Amino acid sequence: MHLTWLLAWRFRSNKRQNGFISFISASSTFGIGLGCFVLILLLSVMNGFERELKDRLLSVIPHAEFKSVYASGIENWPAEVEALKQHPEVTFVEPYVNATGMLQKGNKMKAVEMTALDPLYAIDGVIPSLVSSEQWQQFQHDENATMLGIGLMQKLDLKVGDKVQILLPQLSEDLSLSAPKTLRLSIIASLDMGGELSNHIGFMHMSLAAQAQNIQHGAQGIRLRFRDAFMARELSRAIGYKLSPEVYMSDWTISDGNLYQDIQLVRAVVYIALSLVIAVACFNIVSTLVMAVNEKQSEIAMLKSMGAKNSLIISVFMLQGTFNGLIGTIVGVVLGVLMATNLPAVARFMEDLFGVQFLSADVYFIDFLPSQLNWNEVYLTAFIAILLSVLATLYPAIKAAKINPAKVLGH
């Protein structure tokens, strides 16, 4: 075995080593391992939330919307829809009308944000996949049919087959409010979209909503989906500026981006905080080596008197400290990867064992703890831990190399 490695290992495993030094050494290894474990686990949870956000929430809401600045709607909207379908990044396009009002059943009322769709275009979207084929066919053929979020139906004690009224506000020619328009609708399906969406959203026919709100051209706006939802802000502006009608531009990062922004913020905070935890654990390596150098001054002096160079002494103590960081990193990374890959099953077991639920679908858009391991983050975490461990050994190792053999052995 190479002399440097042999000396480093002998110094580290010396049975006569001070018990307090051994305790500090073990605590540094434990701290580094714990930091790596928690960092990998929490980053995997953040990745899981981001994946579910993209696959669930962003599969229901549009990625971008272009709404006419005029009350009459978008003129010649079928041609605009066909033109947008040719864009290489666009996967789905449909016209729509927003109908925000009050939903009434008996003496109960609830605010609702109805999205009015044209079944001819919506059939290629995700809404038909949320209901049965019979319910979708019923929606296609019944202009008064509506589909409501399951949370909204629960708040009003509604069920499929019930009749409801929706009151839509009306503006007169002088822009003053007049008596609301009342529409009678039949509930043909309930939609479970997760989170707050199910508590206030519903779908109805575009032709009925356009007629009730005096939208002369039939479509108030156009909404679409992209191949990459996280490019929505850039793509919506690039497309919107080229549209011939005057429109207001919006994308999901404005209307529903708070959750995504929270995920990114938590990810950044977690990475910074746990990197500092690893750094603090590495400071224990400094303490361990400083005490080890003070304890082994005579051994270092004898090595130097036998011809050992300063580079050898520095390498020995750097390796001794790096052992702690390497062991902690390996253990933390292995446990973190194992837990991250099995977290959903472990979380479900803990919920069943203690009778609690970590996430509620009424608040979040999912009711389970997601996890997605990103190997690049694992490599980066391990690299940072080992780098900080190596840097922590520099000062004690240089201090060991500066020991004067004549002064130490003379005593």
Side-chain angles (χ1 to χ4, degrees), residues 133-361:
S133 58
E134 293 79 8
Q135 290 172 327
W136 178 249
Q137 290 178 3
Q138 187 177 353
F139 180 78
Q140 286 178 302
H141 296 99
D142 185 358
E143 189 180 51
N144 293 311
T146 183
M147 299 177 288
L148 301 177
I150 189 170
L152 181 63
M153 294 181 63
Q154 290 173 351
K155 291 179 184 297
L156 293 177
D157 293 329
L158 297 172
K159 59 182 183 296
V160 174
D162 286 351
K163 307 288 184 180
V164 293
Q165 294 185 130
I166 180 170
L167 281 66
L168 301 177
Q170 300 289 302
L171 288 176
S172 61
E173 294 182 358
D174 60 355
L175 299 182
S176 61
L177 285 173
S178 57
K181 180 79 171 182
T182 301
L183 299 178
R184 299 184 182 278
L185 304 174
S186 301
I187 303 174
I188 58 98
S190 62
L191 305 175
D192 186 3
M193 293 167 285
E196 285 297 312
L197 276 179
S198 296
N199 295 330
H200 60 77
I201 200 169
F203 297 93
M204 61 183 295
H205 271 256
M206 189 176 76
S207 57
L208 182 62
Q211 182 182 3
Q213 297 182 109
N214 299 318
I215 300 175
Q216 300 172 8
H217 298 306
Q220 188 180 43
I222 299 172
R223 62 185 204 166
L224 42 88
R225 292 172 49 80
F226 300 114
R227 296 185 189 280
D228 185 358
F230 298 109
M231 291 293 293
R233 179 176 289 271
E234 294 81 2
L235 290 173
S236 62
R237 278 148 184 76
I239 293 173
Y241 288 133
K242 294 180 180 179
L243 288 177
S244 53
E246 298 180 56
V247 294
Y248 295 112
M249 295 180 291
S250 179
D251 61 83
W252 73 268
T253 63
I254 297 175
S255 59
D256 296 277
N258 58 316
L259 185 58
Y260 177 70
Q261 293 167 1
D262 290 344
I263 291 174
Q264 300 308 310
L265 177 61
V266 171
R267 183 200 302 274
V269 171
V270 163
Y271 214 103
I272 294 172
L274 292 177
S275 294
L276 291 176
V277 169
I278 296 174
V280 170
C282 290
F283 282 129
N284 285 338
I285 294 178
V286 178
S287 303
T288 302
L289 292 182
V290 167
M291 289 186 288
V293 169
N294 291 333
E295 188 182 61
K296 300 184 184 301
Q297 289 189 48
S298 58
E299 287 90 338
I300 296 170
M302 284 188 289
L303 286 172
K304 296 189 73 173
S305 66
M306 295 170 62
K309 297 181 180 179
N310 288 342
S311 58
L312 174 64
I313 302 300
I314 292 174
S315 299
V316 166
F317 282 92
M318 286 187 67
L319 278 175
Q320 184 180 348
T322 304
F323 282 147
N324 291 345
L326 190 60
I327 293 172
T329 300
I330 292 174
V331 172
V333 166
V334 170
L335 292 179
V337 168
L338 290 175
M339 178 60 76
T341 52
N342 297 282
L343 182 61
V346 172
R348 187 68 69 186
F349 172 77
M350 297 295 289
E351 288 178 342
D352 295 339
L353 181 63
F354 296 104
V356 298
Q357 187 173 16
F358 296 140
L359 298 178
S360 172

